[in-house]
Amino acid sequence: MSTKKTIEAIIAPPPPHMVGDGFRVHNFFPNSRLIDQQRMSPFFMLDYNAKVDFSPRKEPRGVGVHPHAGFETVTIAYHGKIAHHDSAGNSGIIGEGDVQWMTAGSGLLHKEYHEKEFSKNGGAFQMVQLWVNLPAKFKKTKPKYQEITNSMMGRYNLPDDKGVVEIIAGEFKGVKGAASTFTPLHAFNARLKKEASLEFNFPKNYNTCALVIEGSIKVNEENVPADHFVLFKNDGENFSIDATDDTVILILSGEPIDEPVVAYGPFVMNTWEEIEQAVNDVNSGKYGVLEG
Ligand code: MN
């Protein structure tokens, strides 16, 4: 018999801050009183750019050259388009409804901007950047990208045209996600029509959360408005979502990585020695070079 996964907290969006001049984000974790660096492991950070209108601009807004190492960045675009370039010569565009799963691993330099045409026209911009930690044995893995377009995601269609669950990673009701991951985790976009209901079931020890991207829902009978975040307790397996409006919900659940976490800026490691090594590697050009 599975038991109910109850709600630990429903969290309103914290005051936003700018990342470069292109991303206006609410940081739901870590660094909050409720959610420290281990609480959502294997997920380390979640920055949410709630829907905001950017005015047209010829020179794209964004964030300039910076390193990452020891984890993965997952960029989920809901509105607007993002362009990226890295020190290995890779570049690409993350379009509406698409996901970029970047394994920084042993380290790279990159920059992230609004895509040129989007920037020229301006308009609604909404995205999530999630950092997924890597266990010690994969921290030095070679950097790689998974460009997951919307059509590549697994799809579970609700009966009576009541919506769809897009499976980015993991598995939902036997449908597999598109991303390969280093530790067991699930990442879904549930796009539900008003009055649709759905049950979710994850192991008790998996750290689990939901973020309401559009519309409003009830979770286990509790109202959760748009842009709010639901943190679940590790006390059971099941929870229900009832759409009280047409809605989009990001749902994350993963097996915790049971290792020490030492984080500094764009690096997430197991020890301070590894942080120092990463800083030295960037300074000595080991991550390559990228023009601003
Ligand atoms: Mn970055």
Side-chain angles (χ1 to χ4, degrees), residues 63 66-68 73 102 110-112 129 131:
V63 52
H66 58 280
H68 290 294
T73 66
M102 181 183 88
H110 80 160
K111 52 187 181 178
E112 297 155 279
Q129 188 165 93
W131 290 10

Side-chain angles (χ1 to χ4, degrees), residues 158-210:
L158 276 76
D160 306 321
D161 201 23
K162 278 291 190 186
V164 61
V165 178
E166 298 168 350
I167 300 112
I168 301 164
E171 186 173 340
F172 182 67
K173 294 190 191 290
V175 182
K176 287 206 160 47
S180 78
T181 65
F182 288 87
T183 60
L185 63 87
H186 303 279
F188 312 146
N189 278 322
R191 299 178 187 270
L192 307 181
K193 304 249 174 86
K194 187 177 177 174
E195 291 174 359
S197 327
L198 207 49
E199 282 270 319
F200 292 85
N201 189 304
F202 301 112
K204 193 190 274 193
N205 70 315
Y206 277 35
N207 291 322
T208 303
C209 66

Side-chain angles (χ1 to χ4, degrees), residues 199-257:
E199 282 270 319
F200 292 85
N201 189 304
F202 301 112
K204 193 190 274 193
N205 70 315
Y206 277 35
N207 291 322
T208 303
C209 66
L211 174 62
V212 182
I213 303 290
E214 295 272 356
S216 59
I217 57 174
K218 282 188 177 197
V219 177
N220 293 346
E221 305 298 320
E222 292 237 31
N223 286 310
V224 187
D227 302 330
H228 281 54
F229 178 93
V230 182
L231 173 65
F232 288 93
K233 287 186 185 166
N234 297 83
D235 59 351
E237 293 87 14
N238 289 325
F239 62 90
S240 61
I241 290 184
D242 297 292
T244 46
D245 200 348
D246 288 353
T247 185
V248 180
I249 313 131
L250 174 65
I251 295 156
L252 303 170
S253 184
E255 183 181 74
I257 298 169

Side-chain angles (χ1 to χ4, degrees), residues 116-133:
K116 261 203 173 96
E117 282 304 306
F118 170 78
S119 189
K120 252 187 225 162
N121 297 322
F125 189 78
Q126 186 179 26
M127 51 87 69
V128 163
Q129 188 165 93
L130 177 70
W131 290 10
V132 179
N133 201 3

